[in-house]
Amino acid sequence: MQDHSASVAATGSGTELLGGALTHVVQETGASVAMLYLLPRDETTLHLTVLSGVPGQLAGPWTRVPLSAPMPVADAVRLRCLIWLGSQEELARRYPRPALVLPYRFALGAAPIRTGAIDRGGLVLLWPGSHSPELTPEERDAMVSGCRGIGMLLQQAESSGYPVLPGSRPRVLLTADPPMPEPSEAAAAAEFVQRLPGGSCALALDGTVTYLTDAAAALLGARADDVRGTLPWVSLPWLADPVVEDHYRAAVISRQQTSFTVLRPPGQWLSFHLFPSATGISVRIQPTTEPGPTGVPTPTLPTTTGVPSRATALYHLMHLAATLTEAVGTQDVIALAGDQLMSAFHIQTLVFMTSGEGRLRVEGRRGTHPALMDRLDGAPLTSPTPAAHVLMTGMPDFYPTFDDLARAYPSAGLRRAVAACAFLPLIVSGRPVGSLVFAYDRPHSFDPEERALLSSIAGLLAQALDRARLYDSKDRLAHSLQAHLLPHSLPRIPGLDVAARYLPATRGMGVGGDFYDLIQLDDTTAAAAIGDVQGHNENAAALMGQVRTAVHASAGARPDEVLARTNRLLTDLDPGLFTSCLYIHLDLARHTACLATAGHPAPLMRQPDGQTDVLKLPPGLLLGIDPASRYPTVEVALPPGAALALYTDGLVEAPGVDFDDAAAELAAHFALALDQDMESVASTLVRYAKRATPGTDDIALLLINALLTDG
């Protein structure tokens, strides 16, 4: 019983075209699991689109992967290189989050899918735990060529007007059925299995029982018809132990034999030996004499349909906890929680509500009915509504049907958009700070175990949300400081089309030392500057303000003199931080630009015909090191139609990527935007930077275009 429903439910456009290509890559590389991700245009999140080798539920936590996430496939796409992890130890060292959730033996390779300068997605392959720690040259070549072929397939589909788009769920490739034996062979095989000591059964890759012998049924203490077609840890209460399902998951992912021992009440110990393959798992069951505790109570079967098993719940909870450690702002928490929880726990709508000035406030929402709680947005905390009641009392409320909710709050004016819902308090340090709403499209009974599970989820999210709100407060303060240190707007200079952007680093205080400036000197001359103070804190920001003031005060002098004066000021201040700076004197009458640099990346120059290059500038020492430093100047032509791009290194720098190659890639994007105004070009380059760089450094960008004159 392969994951057929997930395969049929994949609604993406053209995903069926990728199935054959992915199967070919698996055959050529010998991989056991394959995950194909697509990166839609203008998005920064990878979508799992096609899956092979494991059931869809095991890939649930990895269906959406932001490019900024510390995950192998995100790094492979962002850094445009193949990532290889030959052991569990290496995975844990480099990527602790997935290693925590998948503590099994396997080897992993991740590679980008690209065509030209366009990032289209990524490919993840898993090999069994028995694989060598090293990737063979043949496997590497097969993986790289497979990504190239998939990229060409995606490009051709896009060129034909039918781009391949990811579905709401990944398409799960079905494993080919083994050849059917002759009736006599089948009878002989069944007789052979029956003669084996102990019991034998077979599981599909999704864990359902497809076959079991009479001896196996006797050992399990159940009728064969009651077990066949079920998940054993669901149909057999004494197997409802997270350890059991974890061994199954280990066998599927690592493709290696695994064994465990379980007590079947009241006193029979059984050993299970799992032998996985690409089509399923063979299980040998044998009685054993291993002693164990007596008087173990038999657990009861869960009564709520659609609720994850204990092991699956723990699996998703662990992944959620690990994921939330990477969240920064409030919206980050909401997005990550939605991605993780909604598919894993079959929740259709998720709403975060907090309090402010004595009123409810919708902080974020995801799912089928995102406007579910809009009617309550701004309602007083004293209002007779479930969200306010939960927030004020700190006690959760569960409503298996909408009628139950309507009876409890007849005057709340709630929408009959959902069939069941749960309201959970978000509690931090014993104090409710908000409400979490889970809504379902069908009636949903909440048994005690599920209520405890949902309350645990709310607790995790409350802690993460509290940290995120603190971060947001600091971030707003940092942005306010940054806004006062940078120009509020660029001056309107006749003959120039200009634009600027500043993006703070995604980690740290959100304020740094990057700056830019554009100064009108008179009717035909102007000055431009850009720089980067070492560090990402309030000290760097304060020094940046001093540097910008010094440059502004000296503007109009020759570029070498402006940098020399600023350098002497910094060495006198001795702040312990160094600064790079590029200064340009623009003569609009003579159509020239005179430049000098103090250790800053050279700007891009785009000619009127679109030819774009990195300018060659003589080097100059960083500001603040040697008071006697000199800064050579270079004069270049700036004809009408030419444009300059001044930037800090955060726009191009990425681990493992050569700076010159990254600058050349940026130049190519600058060249392609020949017919756009500078505001549009700035937005284009920022989108490129968000996908090409890790976002751990500030970004400053200043674009200057010499406008074409009439006649």
Side-chain angles (χ1 to χ4, degrees):
M1 192 184 296
Q2 289 288 315
D3 221 326
H4 181 65
S5 61
S7 178
V8 172
T11 58
S13 170
T15 55
E16 67 280 356
L17 299 175
L18 303 175
L22 190 63
T23 300
H24 179 73
V25 174
V26 169
Q27 292 171 345
E28 291 294 307
T29 60
S32 53
V33 177
M35 306 170 75
L36 174 58
Y37 288 85
L38 291 185
L39 181 65
R41 287 291 187 98
D42 298 325
E43 286 198 27
T44 58
T45 297
L46 294 160
H47 297 253
L48 180 59
T49 305
V50 187
L51 175 67
S52 171
V54 292
Q57 66 265 26
L58 289 191
W62 326 106
T63 54
R64 286 166 54 88
V65 178
L67 284 178
S68 58
M71 301 287 292
V73 67
D75 279 357
V77 174
R78 194 177 63 250
L79 304 180
R80 298 171 180 170
C81 65
L82 191 150
I83 303 291
W84 172 251
L85 303 164
S87 67
Q88 181 66 21
E89 292 77 13
E90 188 175 5
L91 176 67
R93 186 174 66 253
R94 296 175 58 183
Y95 299 96
R97 193 172 93 190
L100 177 67
V101 183
L102 298 172
Y104 315 122
R105 291 188 61 198
F106 58 87
L108 181 148
I113 298 173
R114 308 182 70 227
T115 53
I118 300 175
D119 297 315
R120 298 192 178 273
L123 175 67
V124 177
L125 297 180
L126 270 62
W127 284 263
S130 57
H131 189 280
S132 166
E134 302 298 328
L135 183 67
T136 68
E138 294 78 15
E139 291 167 337
R140 177 182 291 272
D141 291 344
M143 192 172 184
V144 171
S145 63
C147 288
R148 187 182 304 116
I150 293 172
M152 293 177 62
L153 188 64
L154 294 170
Q155 184 180 41
Q156 290 169 1
E158 185 178 71
S159 300
S160 66
Y162 298 95
V164 180
L165 302 175
S168 57
R169 286 185 285 174
R171 180 179 296 277
V172 181
L173 301 182
L174 304 182
T175 304
D177 294 328
M180 291 295 294
E182 295 293 331
S184 59
E185 293 176 328
E191 186 178 357
F192 165 76
V193 173
Q194 293 286 356
R195 285 196 299 264
L196 292 175
S200 301
C201 74
L203 306 180
L205 281 182
D206 65 0
T208 55
V209 178
T210 58
Y211 170 81
L212 75 162
T213 62
D214 294 337
L219 287 171
L220 296 175
R223 295 175 59 251
D225 289 344
D226 293 338
V227 178
R228 192 179 297 111
T230 72
L231 295 171
W233 46 85
V234 173
S235 58
L236 300 170
W238 51 275
L239 282 179
D241 188 320
V243 173
V244 173
E245 193 175 347
D246 190 63
H247 278 284
Y248 147 75
R249 190 180 295 113
V252 172
I253 294 175
S254 71
R255 291 289 201 271
Q256 290 191 304
Q257 176 188 346
T258 180
S259 303
F260 58 92
T261 302
V262 178
L263 175 66
R264 193 199 83 189
Q268 176 64 67
W269 284 91
L270 298 176
S271 64
F272 292 78
H273 307 275
L274 281 60
F275 302 88
S277 73
T279 57
I281 301 174
S282 299
V283 183
R284 295 283 293 123
I285 309 171
Q286 294 179 309
T288 182
T289 58
E290 180 176 339
T294 58
V296 178
T298 301
T300 57
L301 279 171
T303 57
T304 305
T305 59
V307 179
S309 67
R310 288 171 62 199
T312 301
L314 289 174
Y315 174 68
H316 288 297
L317 274 176
M318 185 177 293
H319 185 269
L320 176 63
T323 299
L324 290 176
T325 63
E326 303 295 334
V328 256
T330 301
Q331 295 307 312
D332 205 10
V333 170
I334 294 169
L336 290 171
D339 291 344
Q340 173 67 18
L341 292 176
M342 299 188 66
S343 60
F345 296 97
H346 312 295
I347 298 163
Q348 279 72 54
T349 302
L350 176 68
V351 182
F352 283 82
M353 303 193 76
T354 58
S355 63
E357 298 179 352
R359 294 183 177 274
L360 290 170
R361 177 175 172 234
V362 173
E363 196 80 39
R365 54 206 175 184
R366 295 287 295 274
T368 309
H369 302 289
L372 177 68
M373 294 288 110
D374 277 4
R375 186 185 295 265
L376 303 184
D377 196 12
L381 294 182
T382 55
S383 61
T385 63
H389 177 262
V390 166
L391 195 152
M392 295 298 291
T393 64
M395 299 297 294
D397 284 334
F398 299 91
Y399 301 97
T401 69
F402 182 83
D403 290 339
D404 295 327
L405 177 63
R407 280 193 296 271
Y409 296 95
S411 62
L414 299 169
R415 296 176 53 195
R416 189 180 283 271
V418 295
C421 55
F423 292 82
L424 299 129
L426 297 170
I427 299 176
V428 177
S429 301
R431 179 176 57 88
V433 297
S435 302
L436 183 64
V437 185
F438 292 151
Y440 304 80
D441 286 348
R442 297 180 180 180
H444 188 94
S445 59
F446 297 94
D447 63 25
E449 186 172 353
E450 186 182 8
R451 293 184 182 210
L453 171 63
L454 296 180
S455 297
S456 297
I457 291 172
L460 283 175
L461 293 177
Q463 297 294 331
L465 193 63
D466 189 54
R467 292 192 302 270
R469 294 177 76 180
L470 178 61
Y471 174 88
D472 287 341
S473 297
K474 291 182 177 180
D475 195 52
R476 284 192 296 270
L477 177 62
H479 278 84
S480 176
L481 173 62
Q482 194 83 44
H484 284 85
L485 293 174
L486 292 172
H488 293 289
S489 61
L490 297 177
R492 295 178 178 272
I493 300 177
L496 294 181
D497 177 19
V498 297
R501 295 288 189 275
Y502 172 80
L503 277 74
T506 56
R507 291 291 186 270
M509 192 179 164
V511 62
D514 288 19
F515 69 93
Y516 61 85
D517 210 344
L518 182 67
I519 309 159
Q520 184 170 9
L521 300 174
D522 56 37
D523 292 342
T524 61
T525 61
I530 194 164
D532 184 357
V533 178
Q534 175 189 18
H536 302 94
N537 52 37
E538 65 277 12
N539 293 331
L543 183 60
M544 176 266 281
Q546 292 174 314
V547 173
R548 180 172 169 252
T549 300
V551 170
H552 207 284
S554 301
R558 287 177 51 83
D560 56 336
E561 184 59 29
V562 171
L563 293 182
R565 292 177 186 175
T566 306
N567 177 54
R568 288 193 293 271
L569 172 65
L570 290 190
T571 52
D572 288 342
L573 292 174
D574 191 20
L577 298 174
F578 304 132
T579 303
S580 71
C581 185
L582 172 72
Y583 181 87
I584 305 177
H585 182 87
L586 302 166
D587 190 327
L588 306 181
R590 296 177 55 239
H591 303 296
T592 62
C594 187
L595 307 88
T597 181
H600 196 83
L604 305 178
M605 166 70 85
R606 190 181 69 191
Q607 301 296 339
D609 62 0
Q611 175 65 36
T612 304
D613 298 293
V614 179
L615 286 178
K616 302 298 182 183
L617 300 181
L621 197 62
L622 291 168
L623 302 176
I625 297 178
D626 180 3
S629 291
R630 301 176 64 85
Y631 300 95
T633 60
V634 169
E635 186 170 280
V636 297
L638 187 67
L644 290 165
L646 290 64
Y647 58 92
T648 55
D649 52 15
L651 189 68
V652 292
E653 275 193 340
V657 179
D658 181 77
F659 187 90
D660 291 340
D661 292 341
E665 185 80 16
L666 180 67
H669 282 77
F670 192 35
L672 290 173
L674 182 62
D675 297 326
Q676 300 179 23
D677 61 79
M678 290 298 101
E679 283 292 336
S680 300
V681 177
S683 298
T684 298
L685 296 184
V686 165
R687 284 197 300 270
Y688 157 76
K690 287 182 177 180
R691 293 175 58 167
T693 66
T696 53
D697 197 4
D698 304 338
I699 293 174
L701 173 67
L702 177 61
L703 303 179
I704 302 169
N705 182 28
L707 296 174
L708 292 168
T709 56
D710 296 334

